[in-house]
């Protein structure tokens, strides 16, 4: 090295002569310190401060620094230390406070622990020093040359170390290889454990070899880092280049008049749209204000995109755009007949409604509500109404909807705000007088986010919807020309204010004959087309269809029937795929091989007349149904009534009324023997309604339960083939019930030809179509005693 380094070497010899055998020890936690290097150190803690002061007072400023093998965070002096460290000379204390010290130290020599001795400091060792000579062998010189070559390669790829390494290489010589090697070692970014191993290598040739290996690793890391940096720079440069080129191309096109900037194009597009619609004065004012604002905003501004989206939402609505209604009631009737079999009374109601729309040119605030079981064609009727009037059709469901913003839109202050479903539907259909179907209105929800049913009031109320205010648009829009059609399975769960605004049309369901015609005219042709089959490959007989309807698809609608036909078609396709070339004929005999075991058995469980058993008629959300009621007696001096069959509260009350009434009736009949009059006092009655897993409720089984109890007490069976329905009062009066159509259909389905209805329901039965009434005898009763005349077997 230079002459100054030579003098430093002489100073080192003098310093080494002063090194004590016993020295205080301080633990290092970050990385070891090498000899021949001037290094700043900093410690915090009373023990460290005391050790520095002790070194200056008793050890001529010498102190040993040893790297920790395992750190004790609670007390560094209890840490596990390596046995090789560096003795340093404290050159200058730069900062000293109550519990911290900063100093500059010079590394003098390596040492190895011999043993622990007592001293003034917490840790004091007797050590052995490594006295290196500066004789340079040919091998060592070769290593020195290789180290300097590696250093040059490193600073070519690592600009951070470039200046330091360049200065080191320029001053390097072969006279003091140990100093040079320690200096290079102190600059390495290697792991602390690897640096400790380098410090512990006392043989200078072996140390040079180890250092050269570590430099090669450092070079590989630097080269890899340089490659990664270059790839990132190249990618960024390419993106920047493409961006500048696109901007230049855009400016060139604008100068040549070939293209407008994005902002101008957006504004021109909006203005063109405005020219094709007739905005309301309020909307026109808002659009003009927003357009002025849009022209002043920068494209990169978030507010620009908010304003643009808002204006586009306004101008994309069909302001003043109306589809022309078809003024042909015959065409409307043809469409309804084409799409739906039967439902003559429903069709007549719809045709009356459509003719009024045609005559007046507006819907007069009418909202239709189609109520009926699933699968009876409510949604398809809505489509047919739209086609009859030549209007666009849009359907959405509110089942389970709990957020009123779905109807009336979100405030524009929210992120991701958008208009409600009504405004969205108008944007899609592009006409201001479509037919909008709101499905599942009986299943609308309610939550802390608001009440969607209340939000629908403004939409459906003819006095309000001409000035409908969507929260997002914040501009009034006229909905009065829209024909709203809603659907529901039942009326009970529809909010009363909403129900009051609608005209109810009941779709009760289909009997077997209607289902048969629907299958022949609609379902089978549709499924043949959907499964790519034709009449030469498959045929389904009428008897097979009747069997399917009766044994597999008894519900009010035709959805299950459609599924059965679809299942048959798939199995036929499988046969064809397996090589079957003969026409597949589906008959009553082989239907089970396609659909499995029938779902339903006959509802006539009792093939013979039995006391205490009656057949009732019930209404459910799935349509009409028949249900048996059974009563048996158990000898018991205390009497009493037991009810089973998962009955609701109203039905339990009906049973108790029937029990009290029949007991009273028997006790007052002077013509009866005493054992019958006292029958209920000596017997406990068990009343059961089969299919116990199915919940049942309602008052209309009153006379049915009373008849079962009366029949049991007199030991007289009820006539076979008769079914009944009616609410019973405590005085024996029979009150009218609902669901006459559905209950009549249920009776026809199981082949019951004689019915008992309350007297006040005669007008309801008379309004039924002839094909439902034909072949059925109805007995009308005013009191329960009238029921006894028709129902009991005469002895």
């Amino acid at each position: 090295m230079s002459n100054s380094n030579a003098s430093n070497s002489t100073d080192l010899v003098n310093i080494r002569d002063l090194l004590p055998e016993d020295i205080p020890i301080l633990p290092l936690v970050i990385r070891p310190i090498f000899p021949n290097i001037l290094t700043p150190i900093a410690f915090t803690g009373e023990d460290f401060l005391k050790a520095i002061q002790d070194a200056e007072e008793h050890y001529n400023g010498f102190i040993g620094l040893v790297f920790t093998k395992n750190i004790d965070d609670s007390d560094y002096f209890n840490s596990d230390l390596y046995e090789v460290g560096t003795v340093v000379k404290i050159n200058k204390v730069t900062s000293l406070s109550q519990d911290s010290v900063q100093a500059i130290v010079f590394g003098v020599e390596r040492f190895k622990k011999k043993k622990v001795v007592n001293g003034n400091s917490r840790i004091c060792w007797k050590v052995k020093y490594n006295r290196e000579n500066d004789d340079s062998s040919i091998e060592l010189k070769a290593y020195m040359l290789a180290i300097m070559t590696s250093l040059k390669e490193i600073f070519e790829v690592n600009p951070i170390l470039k200046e330091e390494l360049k200065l080191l290489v320029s001053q390097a010589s072969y006279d003091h290889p140990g100093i040079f090697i320690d200096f290079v070692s102190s600059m390495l970014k290697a792991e602390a454990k690897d640096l400790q191993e380098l410090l512990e290598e006392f043989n200078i040739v072996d140390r040079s070899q180890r250092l050269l290996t570590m430099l090669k690793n450092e070079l590989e890391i630097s080269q890899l880092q340089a490659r990664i940096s270059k790839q990132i720079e190249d990618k960024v440069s390419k993106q920047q280049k493409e961006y500048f080129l696109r901007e230049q191309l855009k400016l060139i096109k604008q100068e040549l008049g070939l293209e407008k900037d994005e902002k101008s194009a957006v504004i021109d597009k909006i203005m063109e749209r405005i020219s094709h619609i007739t905005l309301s004065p309020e909307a026109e004012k808002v659009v003009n204000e927003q357009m002025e604002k849009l022209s002043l905003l920068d494209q990169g501004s978030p507010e620009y995109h908010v304003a643009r989206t808002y204006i586009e939402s306004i101008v994309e609505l069909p302001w003043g755009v109306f589809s022309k209604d078809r003024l042909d009631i015959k065409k409307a009737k043809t469409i309804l007949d084409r799409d739906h079999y039967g439902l003559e009374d429903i069709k007549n109601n719809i045709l009356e409604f459509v003719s009024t729309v045609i005559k007046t040119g507006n819907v007069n605030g009418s909202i239709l509500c189609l109520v009926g079981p699933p699968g009876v064609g409510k949604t398809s009727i809505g489509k047919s109404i739209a086609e009859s009037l030549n209007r666009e059709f849009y359907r959405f469901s509110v089942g389970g909807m709990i957020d009123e913003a779905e109807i009336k839109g979100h405030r524009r202050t929210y992120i991701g705000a958008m208009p409600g479903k009504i405004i969205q539907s108008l944007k899609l259909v592009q006409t201001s007088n479509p037919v909008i179907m709101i499905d599942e209105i009986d299943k609308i929800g309610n939550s802390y986010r608001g009440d969607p049913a209340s939000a629908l009031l403004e939409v459906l109320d003819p006095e309000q919807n001409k000035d409908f205010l969507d929260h997002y648009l914040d501009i009034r829009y006229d909905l009065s020309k829209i024909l709203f059609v809603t659907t529901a399975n039942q009326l009970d769960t529809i909010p009363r204010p909403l129900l009051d605004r609608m005209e109810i049309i009941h779709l009760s369901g289909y009997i077997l004959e209607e289902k048969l015609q629907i299958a022949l005219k609609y379902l089978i042709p549709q499924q043949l087309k959907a499964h790519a089959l034709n009449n030469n490959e498959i045929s389904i007989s009428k008897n097979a269809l009747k069997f399917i309807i009766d044994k597999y698809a008894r519900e009010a609608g035709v959805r299950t029937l459609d599924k059965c036909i679809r299942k048959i078609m798939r199995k036929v396709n499988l046969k064809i795929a397996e090589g079957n070339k003969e026409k597949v004929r589906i008959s009553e005999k082989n239907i089970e091989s396609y659909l499995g075991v029938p779902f339903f058995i006959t509802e006539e469980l009792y093939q013979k007349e039995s006391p205490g058993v009656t057949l009732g008629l019930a209404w459910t959300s799935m349509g009409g149904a028949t249900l048996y009621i059974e009563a048996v007696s158990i000898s018991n001096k205390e009497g009493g009534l037991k009810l089973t069959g998962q009955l609701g509260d109203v039905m339990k009350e009906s049973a108790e009324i029937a029990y009290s009434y029949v007991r009273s009736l028997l006790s007052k009949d002077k013509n009866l023997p005493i054992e019958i009059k006292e029958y209920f006092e000596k017997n406990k009655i068990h009343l059961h309604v089969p299919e116990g897993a199915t919940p049942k409720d309602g008052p209309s089984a009153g006379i049915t339960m009373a008849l079962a109890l009366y029949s049991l007490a007199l030991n007289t069976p009820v006539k076979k083939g008769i079914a009944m329905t009616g609410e019973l009062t405590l005085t024996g009066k029979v009150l009218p019930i609902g669901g006459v159509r559905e209950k009549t259909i249920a009776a026809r389905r199981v082949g019951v030809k004689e019915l008992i209805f309350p007297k006040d329901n005669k007008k309801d039965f008379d309004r039924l179509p002839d094909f439902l009434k034909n072949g059925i005898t109805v007995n009308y009763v005013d009191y329960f005693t009238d029921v006894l005349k028709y129902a009991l077997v005469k002895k």
Side-chain angles (χ1 to χ4, degrees), residues 572-612:
V572 171
N573 268 339
L574 176 61
K575 284 190 174 184
I576 293 173
E578 290 173 345
N580 180 62
K581 296 183 179 179
E582 296 182 1
K583 183 176 181 178
V584 179
R585 302 180 186 277
I586 310 298
S587 65
E588 188 176 350
K589 294 180 180 179
N590 64 3
I591 192 67
E592 289 190 23
S593 62
Y594 290 90
L595 297 179
V597 178
F599 301 151
F600 299 99
I601 58 174
T602 176
E603 291 188 40
E604 287 194 72
L605 301 177
Y606 294 89
Q607 300 300 319
K608 62 179 183 178
E609 299 161 343
S610 176

Side-chain angles (χ1 to χ4, degrees), residues 704-766:
T704 316
M705 291 188 284
L707 183 62
L709 296 173
Y710 193 89
S711 165
L712 180 67
L714 268 67
N715 196 29
T716 303
V718 177
K719 280 197 314 188
K720 190 173 180 242
I722 189 169
M724 64 205 69
T725 179
E727 181 179 355
L728 181 69
T729 70
L730 203 54
T731 59
K733 176 73 174 175
V734 181
L735 301 181
I737 43 82
V740 169
R741 180 188 175 98
E742 290 84 351
K743 292 174 179 179
T744 305
I745 291 173
R748 291 188 71 92
R749 188 169 61 230
V750 296
V752 173
K753 303 297 184 182
E754 187 176 359
L755 306 177
I756 295 177
F757 281 157
K759 182 179 178 182
D760 292 337
N761 283 119
K762 185 176 186 305
K763 58 184 183 302
D764 299 313
F765 184 80
D766 291 342

Side-chain angles (χ1 to χ4, degrees), residues 536-634:
N536 295 324
E537 294 171 312
I538 180 176
S539 67
I540 304 177
S541 70
K542 286 187 178 181
N543 286 336
L545 284 173
K546 289 180 180 179
F547 189 81
I548 293 171
I549 294 165
D550 186 44
K551 303 299 183 183
Y552 297 89
R554 281 189 184 175
E555 84 286 4
V558 293
R559 202 164 284 162
T560 304
L561 176 58
D562 192 35
K563 289 178 184 177
C564 292
I565 294 171
R566 194 182 310 147
K567 188 174 182 180
I568 292 171
M569 299 290 180
R570 288 199 299 268
K571 288 187 178 292
V572 171
N573 268 339
L574 176 61
K575 284 190 174 184
I576 293 173
E578 290 173 345
N580 180 62
K581 296 183 179 179
E582 296 182 1
K583 183 176 181 178
V584 179
R585 302 180 186 277
I586 310 298
S587 65
E588 188 176 350
K589 294 180 180 179
N590 64 3
I591 192 67
E592 289 190 23
S593 62
Y594 290 90
L595 297 179
V597 178
F599 301 151
F600 299 99
I601 58 174
T602 176
E603 291 188 40
E604 287 194 72
L605 301 177
Y606 294 89
Q607 300 300 319
K608 62 179 183 178
E609 299 161 343
S610 176
V613 177
T614 54
L615 180 63
L617 298 172
W619 179 92
T620 69
S621 62
M622 302 293 288
T626 56
L627 73 164
Y628 276 95
I629 292 177
E630 304 171 330
V632 295
S633 61
I634 304 166

Side-chain angles (χ1 to χ4, degrees), residues 308-327:
R308 174 184 169 180
T309 305
Y310 177 54
I311 296 172
E312 288 178 343
S313 297
I314 295 173
V315 301
E316 286 175 0
L317 290 173
W319 299 89
V321 178
F322 300 93
S323 58
K324 188 177 180 181
D325 287 335
R326 180 184 284 119
L327 306 176

